[in-house]
Amino acid sequence: MLQILLSALAGGLVMFMFNRIARSLDLGFAKDERTEGKIEKVDSLARASIARLEGELRHTVDDIKSSLIMDLKERVTRVEETIRHLPSGEQIDKLIDRLGLVEREVGVVAAKTEGMSDMVRTIRDHILEGERR
């Protein structure tokens, strides 16, 4: 009889444990099914938001890039127009040579004028002496 009682108790314990394990497995599956739908929904919403933001960001970057390119093109055009009117290096060298020539000629004229200045001063002094008499 003790043996029957122990067998019944062991059998009951095994059944209790089996039911407990079965319930926990069922609850786990039911829980996974409930959360998986939510996770997929949140995941799809997040992916859609990310894609939308990525598109907006790409559009904004493209706008900024095209604006900068247009601004740089305009600046380059202005610089080219300014440079076009500037003399070339060869023209500047010729100008320097001509200025050197003019400087030498002015030096010659100044030397001649100095001699004439002395002569004009002498004539003026002679005229002034003649008027005083």
Side-chain angles (χ1 to χ4, degrees):
M1 175 111 156
L2 188 61
Q3 213 174 18
I4 294 174
L5 247 144
L6 284 174
S7 292
L9 185 61
L13 186 60
V14 168
M15 286 300 280
F16 174 76
M17 294 300 287
F18 179 74
N19 284 337
R20 194 83 154 140
I21 291 171
R23 275 193 214 143
S24 69
L25 290 175
D26 284 344
L27 288 176
F29 287 130
K31 186 177 181 182
D32 285 347
E33 289 174 6
R34 284 190 310 232
T35 58
E36 185 146 343
K38 290 178 183 178
I39 290 172
E40 287 176 357
K41 184 177 179 182
V42 169
D43 185 51
S44 67
L45 289 173
R47 288 180 191 272
S49 294
I50 290 170
R52 181 180 49 80
L53 289 173
E54 183 181 9
E56 289 175 4
L57 183 61
R58 187 170 289 136
H59 180 70
T60 303
V61 167
D62 289 343
D63 287 348
I64 291 170
K65 212 168 30 172
S66 66
S67 174
L68 287 174
I69 289 171
M70 292 300 292
D71 187 42
L72 287 175
K73 283 181 180 179
E74 184 178 327
R75 288 181 181 188
V76 167
T77 302
R78 279 194 227 143
V79 168
E80 286 174 345
E81 288 174 359
T82 302
I83 289 174
R84 190 176 300 135
H85 299 294
L86 295 176
S88 67
E90 185 179 313
Q91 290 171 329
I92 291 174
D93 290 341
K94 286 180 182 179
L95 182 61
I96 289 171
D97 291 342
R98 285 175 63 191
L99 285 173
L101 180 63
V102 168
E103 184 180 20
R104 287 190 297 274
E105 289 176 354
V106 167
V108 170
V109 169
K112 287 182 181 180
T113 307
E114 237 179 78
M116 293 175 111
S117 174
D118 289 341
M119 199 163 73
V120 168
R121 200 174 305 120
T122 304
I123 293 172
R124 183 193 62 164
D125 290 343
H126 180 67
I127 292 174
L128 287 175
E129 279 295 318
E131 288 181 359
R132 288 186 190 162
R133 285 188 213 172

